[in-house]
Amino acid sequence: MTSFTDHFAPVAADYGRHRPGYPPALFAWLASLAPHQALAWDCATGTGQAARGLAEHFQRVLATDASNAQIRAAEAVPGVDYRVAPATECPADDGSVALVTVAQALHWFNGDPFHRELRRVLSPAGLLAAWSYGRLETGEPALDALLRALHDETLGPWWPSERRHVLNGYRDLALPFEPLETPDFAMHCHWNLPQLLGYLSTWSAVARCRQATGQDPLADLAAALAARWGDPEQSRTVRWPLSLRVTRASGAPAHA
C-alpha cells in the first residue's frame, strides 16, 4: 500500500457483523499444503473473518490490518493476535510464516513492497493464498437483476478503481512464486432480507456514495427487494463463488 485509504472505517462495526465467513474446507485445504502449522499471517484481516478460520488449523495466527477501526471491531479468538500494521510490515521473524492469506484485499496493495515482505517472512515452501469474491447470487432472477443494477448502475460511479481486480478474479495481478492448481470454493449464507441489506451496507461504494451525496443508495433498492422477497424474515440462500490464487515459495519444508 503506498498511501493507505481506509474505505471501511465508517462501516467497520457493520463489516464485522454482516460480512460472510469463508468456507471451512478452504482453510483445511490450505493447512494441508502448508509446510508447518506453527504460524500463519492473515494480511489485511479486516475484522478477522479469515483469521478465525485459520485459527482452527494453526497454532498461532498473526492478523494485521492498516485500519485501526477494523482491528477494534475484530472478534477476539484464541490463537489470533490482532495488530495494526500495513501489508509491508509483518510483525513476524524472517522465514517463520507457513501461510500468508489475503482475503478480499489484494486489490488494495502495492505489489512490489508486499512481495518483498512475503519473501522475508515465508518459510521454505511457504504458501501465499489470495482470494476475492464479486457479485452475489440468490438464484432468483428478479432479485439478482435488482442486485446487478445496484452494483453496476447505481453504484457504478462510486466504486474505487481497484474494484475491477475483484470482478476479474485477480487474474491480472502479478503474484510471486510458483502457482498451484486450486479446487473450486464458494461461500454460502442463509439470510433474511435485513441480513442481506446489512451486508450491502458494508460495500465501499455505498459508504462513498453516502458520504459524498448524503443520500442512501439502498433506500429504493430495499423497497424493490421487499416487493419481491415475500416475508422479510424468510431466509434465502446467497452464494458467492471464490476466485482463489495460491503460490508456493521455493525451498524444501523444514520437516522434509
Side-chain angles (χ1 to χ4, degrees):
M1 299 178 186
T2 48
S3 60
F4 174 64
T5 301
D6 194 343
H7 294 284
F8 300 100
V11 294
D14 287 340
Y15 197 102
R17 284 193 295 267
H18 297 303
R19 283 282 169 141
Y22 300 110
L26 168 64
F27 301 109
W29 181 73
L30 290 171
S32 74
L33 298 179
H36 59 81
Q37 279 71 48
L39 179 62
W41 172 28
D42 185 37
C43 182
T45 192
T47 53
Q49 282 84 354
R52 295 193 293 273
L54 291 169
E56 297 293 323
H57 301 277
F58 290 85
Q59 297 168 29
R60 181 173 173 238
V61 178
L62 271 174
T64 66
D65 202 283
S67 169
N68 281 282
Q70 291 276 60
I71 292 296
R72 286 197 303 269
E75 178 185 348
V77 172
V80 177
D81 181 4
Y82 290 107
R83 306 280 188 92
V84 177
T88 53
E89 298 177 15
C90 177
D93 293 336
D94 294 1
S96 63
V97 176
L99 168 66
V100 177
T101 55
V102 186
Q104 193 71 354
L106 190 68
H107 51 292
W108 303 121
F109 290 8
N110 182 349
D112 289 344
F114 174 58
H115 297 171
R116 285 194 292 272
E117 189 68 347
L118 287 175
R119 291 185 175 94
R120 182 185 71 80
V121 302
L122 272 176
S123 301
L127 300 173
L128 166 65
W131 62 87
S132 66
Y133 57 94
R135 295 179 180 88
L136 68 159
E137 306 165 353
T138 69
E140 296 286 341
L143 296 175
D144 288 346
L146 288 170
L147 294 167
R148 281 195 302 273
L150 171 72
H151 184 285
D152 297 346
E153 299 168 19
T154 305
L155 296 177
W158 302 108
W159 286 111
S161 62
E162 295 89 348
R163 178 70 176 177
R164 69 187 187 279
H165 299 304
V166 174
L167 297 179
N168 69 22
Y170 289 167
R171 288 192 303 271
D172 58 352
L173 293 180
L175 296 182
F177 315 130
E178 185 70 22
L180 303 184
E181 293 292 328
T182 62
D184 292 330
F185 294 100
M187 301 185 300
H188 297 84
C189 289
H190 300 286
W191 278 349
N192 60 27
L193 182 55
Q195 288 172 316
L196 174 62
L197 291 169
Y199 162 71
L200 297 176
S201 73
T202 69
W203 283 1
S204 59
V206 170
R208 294 178 85 195
C209 180
R210 286 172 172 167
Q211 289 174 331
T213 69
Q215 304 296 315
D216 185 357
L218 300 182
D220 291 341
L221 174 76
L225 286 174
R228 292 162 176 79
W229 192 277
D231 180 355
E233 294 303 318
Q234 175 188 351
S235 292
R236 295 180 182 273
T237 299
V238 181
R239 180 179 183 273
W240 300 258
L242 288 183
S243 297
L244 173 65
R245 296 183 63 189
V246 178
T247 64
R248 186 186 292 280
S250 61
H255 56 69

